[in-house]
Amino acid sequence: MNRRRAAARFFALFLAFSCLLTAPAGAVAETAFTTSLGAVSVEASTVMRGSAWFDTRTYAYPDGTRLSMQRLRTVGGSEAAQDLGKLTLAGEMGSLRRYDAGKGEWYSVPLQAGTYPAGTYHLATAKGSAILVTSQAYLDHSNGMIEHLPACDGSLVIAQSADGFLFTLRTPALPAGVHAEWFLIRSDKQLVDWARPDSLEKWSIYCFTGMNRWCMTGYYYLAPDTYYPYAPNYYNNLPAAYIAGRMLRDVAQPASMYLGLAMLDVMEGLRNEEGYLPSLAGSTWLFNDYGIGPGYFDTRFNVDLAVALLNAVGRYQVDDWKPDLIAFGDFLCGYAERHHYTVSDGVAEGWLVQDYAHPNGNLPTHCSLNHLAAEAVLLYRLAALTGESRFTETAELLTRGIEFTARSWIAENGDLHYYRLPDGTFGRTDYAYLTYNDLLELQQLVTDSRGAPSAELGVLLLAKKQWMDANGVTDYNQ
């Protein structure tokens, strides 16, 4: 994209949002990535606002839609309550929707003046729409953990203007050493098709004020009590960025595309030199069982992020992300070679790849069936994308690892075991349907690669399907 044109679009964005910020002189937007719809530009800036730092990262899409992530970081002292930014929507009437994550209920009213609590707001008139996530304040802790401070949540103030509605994001007074995060999307078209029967369910998951959070430094998820440090309202930086992956599978949801692509672009910037995203939070059970500290490699989280990128490459032709995908595929092949248990049918060998490893070393870990199947799926898909035989060869080794141990994965109750331990025993309760979905996709890719389905994968699929039917599990893929 022409840099001058991109810069002009960026400054137009700030006028449209009526943000209370003056961009640095000479700031220029650059192309973040290119899709089949055209180039997406990005502008990132940091300026002082009073005694606090104000960070902005803004994506401009070819159709004029704008997505802006913003953050206010207090430094040595507290910050008084203030307006963070404003935007307008033209139109005589409109609608406001908000999902209350605490109550599990949707709140829907006509647009009208008032002050509204923290939340994810869907605003629409006949002339355009916006999604606003009000500011939420966090305190940084060790191991990439952030603590949500509910008392410092911001609010949305709506007022009617001469030609429509004025929306103001406000934050209460903030203590020193915290960061308030918020984002907003503005479009001249409707960002969400509320006539679709699945829209309410999808956007209740995409609420960003419950278990899922989105910040300038990536995707966060409510931390389990087995992570450390831990306290209520702690969120860990999660490499899988599950919401982005889900969004990029959506149909006829424009906001999902805009936000999902931007989220993946941010996640791409978090890769380490080895080509993967480390899990920063400590895990008590991984440390106790295998001596694995914070900053470890999680095969499943990284494979799931890679699959989301693959889907974006295939659906939106984001070829900019291919090199990182190939680099991660090479890393995964090398990791599998270094961290596996060998099994054999007497003729060929297969690999059971360990789920986790720390760059500083650790005891060998277990191999779980869902991790292994997902890794093989990714490698088969990378082989199809690139034509590189090394990805097929490793995918075959992993698949044979499953095939040569197929009967051992079936538990006495007909369900599948979750993992194989380093001592060769199988155990633990499997997920309700996740592993079935992985095996089902793997079977299709094996069929495409070999020209025939795997009998052993068929045995596992049948066992899991019979168990799911007997136990009322219906959410699996068909």
Side-chain angles (χ1 to χ4, degrees), residues 4 44 48 56 58 110 127 143 170-171 202 204 208 255 274 296 320 334-335 380 394 443:
R4 183 173 297 176
M48 285 297 294
T56 299
T58 301
K127 297 184 178 182
N143 301 343
R170 288 189 56 80
T171 180
K202 285 184 181 299
S204 66
F208 297 106
E274 297 295 321
Y296 58 91
D320 307 73
Y335 175 87
Y380 276 123
T394 305
Q443 180 72 296

Side-chain angles (χ1 to χ4, degrees), residues 134-185:
T134 56
S135 66
Q136 298 169 97
Y138 302 96
L139 180 65
D140 288 330
H141 292 282
S142 60
N143 301 343
M145 288 284 199
I146 58 174
E147 179 185 3
H148 175 219
L149 307 176
C152 297
D153 281 348
S155 58
L156 172 65
V157 179
I158 302 178
Q160 286 195 273
S161 61
D163 60 350
F165 298 88
L166 173 66
F167 305 94
T168 302
L169 289 170
R170 288 189 56 80
T171 180
L174 297 174
V178 305
H179 49 102
E181 311 252 1
W182 66 100
F183 69 83
L184 52 163
I185 311 174

Side-chain angles (χ1 to χ4, degrees), residues 106-123:
W106 277 96
Y107 175 79
S108 181
V109 296
L111 272 178
Q112 54 189 347
T115 299
Y116 300 81
T120 299
Y121 287 89
H122 297 265
L123 312 166

Side-chain angles (χ1 to χ4, degrees), residues 406-464:
R407 270 61 179 183
S408 297
W409 287 107
I410 302 175
E412 290 184 3
N413 66 352
D415 194 9
L416 302 181
H417 290 299
Y418 174 77
Y419 60 25
R420 177 202 187 268
L421 290 168
D423 64 5
T425 59
F426 292 77
R428 190 177 163 188
T429 302
D430 189 35
Y431 290 110
Y433 59 85
L434 172 68
T435 306
Y436 179 84
N437 291 347
D438 294 328
L439 292 171
L440 187 66
E441 186 174 8
L442 179 57
Q443 180 72 296
Q444 182 59 59
L445 292 168
V446 166
T447 302
D448 294 342
S449 180
R450 298 177 181 176
S454 163
E456 290 80 6
L457 291 181
V459 169
L460 292 173
L461 285 165
L462 178 60
K464 187 68 179 185

